Amino acid sequence: MGVVMRRLFWAAGLCLLPWIAVLGTTLPDVVQAQHWRLAWTGFDAVEAAGLLVTAWLLGRDDPRTPLVATATATLLLADAWFDVVTAGDDVVFSLLMAALEVPLALACLSVAAPRPVARV
């Protein structure tokens, strides 16, 4: 199964490269979005849930903690990216938010990093 999944991921990643070029040349610079408020509040709610579940699992020394912490870090980094690239005139606030989200993501990744096993 590992070989099949690896090939699937290679194929999917390579197939995305021409699609990225299409998007980069055809998408408009400015668009009006539907449900913008719902999208961002929902995204931040999932981030909050990820941080809270990470804290809870960490307190229980649960082996699932790295998985949740990694997912939460991914969400935080994506949020920081979109905050900055969609900032418009409010770039200072967006940069401040990213300055909070990126360190939080790094903290999550530090929780997810494998720990060395102590030898007795």
Side-chain angles (χ1 to χ4, degrees):
M1 173 126 131
V3 173
V4 172
M5 293 304 284
R6 187 172 63 237
R7 287 181 181 164
L8 171 68
F9 295 146
W10 272 108
L14 290 171
C15 286
L16 275 173
L17 297 178
W19 178 242
I20 292 166
V22 169
L23 292 176
T25 57
T26 62
L27 285 176
D29 288 332
V30 178
V31 296
Q32 176 138 0
Q34 299 293 320
H35 310 293
W36 189 252
R37 187 178 310 147
L38 176 62
W40 281 106
T41 56
F43 196 77
D44 284 352
V46 172
E47 288 174 339
L51 290 166
L52 293 169
V53 171
T54 299
W56 181 68
L57 292 174
L58 192 58
R60 297 170 48 90
D61 200 26
D62 193 296
R64 297 171 293 183
T65 305
L67 298 173
V68 177
T70 301
T72 303
T74 302
L75 291 168
L76 288 163
L77 291 172
D79 193 351
W81 168 260
F82 284 106
D83 281 345
V84 172
V85 300
T86 63
D89 294 334
D90 205 9
V91 70
V92 173
F93 180 73
S94 295
L95 289 173
L96 287 172
M97 291 307 298
L100 294 172
E101 292 157 348
V102 170
L104 266 176
L106 294 175
C108 286
L109 291 175
S110 75
V111 166
R115 303 283 186 264
V117 177
R119 294 190 175 165
V120 179

